[in-house]
Amino acid sequence: LDFVNIFTISIKIVQIIVKEYNLFFIFHLISCYNYIGEIIMKNEKKSKIQNLKERIINFFKNPKEVVSFFLPIVITISLLIPVPYYVKMGGGTINLNDEISIEGEKEEKGSLEALYVREAKGIVLTYLLSYIVPSFEKEKIENTVINEEDEDAYNYRERLYFTTSLDSATKVAFEKAGKEVKISSSRFLVIYIDKSSKTNLEVGDEILKIEGEKVDSYDKMASLISKNQNKKQIKITVKRDDKEIETSNQLINMDNEKKLGVVISNEIKYTSDPKVDFAFNGRQAGPSGGLMIALTIYNKLTDEDITKGKKVVGTGTIDTLGNVGEIGGIKHKLMAADSKNADIVFVPKENY
């Protein structure tokens, strides 16, 4: 593990312990028991309660003891206070050969690796370190979320972007390799709700029907909204927590049009032969690994090893048509590519 890895893990552990187990309370409790134990052992002739009072009074009469006891605790707690920033803490690579497998795949001499950025919600400590450590960079949370989007909605959207990138990469790779891939399911999911909307839809809802008619495409959805725009309430049936729920929704004026005030994403899943197995650990988020995932799957499907024995790293989104898109955090990703001694680095032209 490098310094940034160790630091990131340490900060996370401290935050969890403080939040879940109240480390400082336990520390004081143990200290208090030790304190009382010393009193009992050293002053058997005196009343235990009287001795405790005297020791406490004497302790607070000595400013140096008070400061030396409480100052480290105050400083530590202060450094863990959240700040309204995300802090990027360097980057790294994921060897996709370890995360993606296909039955009957050939042995590869080189490697295909996805670049990533370590990012976490900021605390005072990491905020201050962003002024000192070159690989640390802060960014206001308001610049990364959509119009006061809450954290849960943001995390859901980013995780969905990642799983969607896996699906898009699979489709593109199989088509480029001349292999068959079929759509197995298609869902329309709510990923953002505008604060001005008048709806009881929730992020994560799957849109099933609008006014009783099945939704199977964006065009059908737009048509049904337009068809019912003069109604005071539009009934939308959704799947939420594995249950069908009917919601009431009122259209609002946005950009001179009547709209629901929500963003809906189409999640398409595919079946393929051979089957692609993913072994990602669940912490990945965002779509920026799409390009390298597609290249990895393609390389496992074809006879030629496109790595040519090289360490190939890269970043970039990919859509179902194979178009590569812009990504964020390019500075940190290029630093990671350099530190990992990459032979070839792919980045989207918009980031070049």
Side-chain angles (χ1 to χ4, degrees), residues 2 91-93 115 311 332-342:
D2 57 28
T93 64
L115 292 163
K311 176 181 278 194
H332 299 279
K333 292 178 179 180
L334 290 179
M335 289 171 63
D338 181 60
S339 68
K340 298 294 183 179
N341 298 314

Side-chain angles (χ1 to χ4, degrees), residues 96-160:
L96 295 172
N97 295 328
D98 299 331
E99 308 298 335
I100 302 170
S101 60
I102 297 177
E103 186 178 352
E105 66 184 69
K106 64 181 178 295
E107 184 178 348
E108 299 166 4
K109 294 181 179 179
S111 65
L112 288 158
E113 304 180 20
L115 292 163
Y116 67 88
V117 177
R118 298 182 186 90
E119 184 179 78
K121 286 193 70 175
I123 57 175
V124 171
L125 177 58
T126 53
Y127 175 84
L128 295 175
L129 285 173
S130 69
Y131 289 97
I132 303 170
V133 181
S135 61
F136 279 44
E137 183 180 350
K138 63 184 183 300
E139 183 177 12
K140 287 186 176 181
I141 289 179
E142 63 188 49
N143 294 335
T144 62
V145 300
I146 307 174
N147 294 336
E148 301 179 12
E149 179 182 35
D150 66 46
E151 185 178 358
D152 288 341
Y154 171 78
N155 290 334
Y156 173 84
R157 179 165 54 87
E158 287 296 302
R159 286 193 297 271
L160 182 64

Side-chain angles (χ1 to χ4, degrees), residues 21-36:
Y21 301 104
N22 201 346
L23 175 65
F24 298 112
F25 170 75
I26 295 171
F27 172 77
H28 277 292
L29 191 61
I30 293 171
S31 299
C32 184
Y33 283 134
N34 288 339
Y35 210 70
I36 294 171

Side-chain angles (χ1 to χ4, degrees), residues 1-230:
L1 292 173
D2 57 28
F3 165 76
V4 175
N5 264 321
I6 295 171
F7 178 81
T8 305
I9 293 169
S10 300
I11 288 296
K12 193 67 178 176
I13 290 172
V14 170
Q15 286 178 311
I16 291 172
I17 291 174
V18 170
K19 180 179 179 181
E20 301 295 337
Y21 301 104
N22 201 346
L23 175 65
F24 298 112
F25 170 75
I26 295 171
F27 172 77
H28 277 292
L29 191 61
I30 293 171
S31 299
C32 184
Y33 283 134
N34 288 339
Y35 210 70
I36 294 171
E38 289 177 10
I39 292 170
I40 295 171
M41 295 297 292
K42 293 180 180 179
N43 302 279
E44 294 179 351
K45 294 181 180 180
K46 291 185 177 182
S47 161
K48 295 176 185 178
I49 297 177
Q50 182 63 30
N51 190 51
L52 177 61
K53 288 181 179 179
E54 290 178 6
R55 290 293 295 274
I56 292 174
I57 291 170
N58 289 334
F59 171 77
F60 282 100
K61 283 183 178 179
N62 189 334
K64 288 185 178 180
E65 284 192 23
V66 174
V67 172
S68 63
F69 182 79
F70 286 108
L71 185 59
I73 297 171
V74 172
I75 292 174
T76 303
I77 293 174
S78 298
L79 291 175
L80 295 174
I81 294 174
V83 295
Y85 288 85
Y86 282 114
V87 179
K88 293 181 174 67
M89 297 177 284
T93 64
I94 300 175
N95 190 332
L96 295 172
N97 295 328
D98 299 331
E99 308 298 335
I100 302 170
S101 60
I102 297 177
E103 186 178 352
E105 66 184 69
K106 64 181 178 295
E107 184 178 348
E108 299 166 4
K109 294 181 179 179
S111 65
L112 288 158
E113 304 180 20
L115 292 163
Y116 67 88
V117 177
R118 298 182 186 90
E119 184 179 78
K121 286 193 70 175
I123 57 175
V124 171
L125 177 58
T126 53
Y127 175 84
L128 295 175
L129 285 173
S130 69
Y131 289 97
I132 303 170
V133 181
S135 61
F136 279 44
E137 183 180 350
K138 63 184 183 300
E139 183 177 12
K140 287 186 176 181
I141 289 179
E142 63 188 49
N143 294 335
T144 62
V145 300
I146 307 174
N147 294 336
E148 301 179 12
E149 179 182 35
D150 66 46
E151 185 178 358
D152 288 341
Y154 171 78
N155 290 334
Y156 173 84
R157 179 165 54 87
E158 287 296 302
R159 286 193 297 271
L160 182 64
Y161 285 164
F162 175 71
T163 58
T164 301
S165 74
L166 298 181
D167 300 323
S168 298
T170 299
K171 176 181 180 294
V172 172
F174 269 76
E175 289 179 343
K176 294 296 181 183
K179 306 286 185 180
E180 188 177 16
V181 62
K182 297 179 180 178
I183 295 176
S184 61
S185 66
S186 176
R187 301 192 301 164
F188 292 91
L189 302 171
V190 177
I191 62 170
Y192 171 73
I193 300 175
D194 191 272
K195 61 182 180 181
S196 63
S197 66
K198 298 178 180 179
T199 176
N200 53 0
L201 290 170
E202 295 182 6
V203 169
D205 283 348
E206 177 187 354
I207 306 295
L208 300 177
K209 300 175 184 177
I210 296 178
E211 287 294 334
E213 294 190 50
K214 184 179 178 181
V215 172
D216 54 15
S217 69
Y218 281 123
D219 288 341
K220 183 66 175 290
M221 195 181 309
S223 173
L224 290 172
I225 293 295
S226 177
K227 177 181 175 181
N228 295 282
Q229 64 178 321
N230 293 324

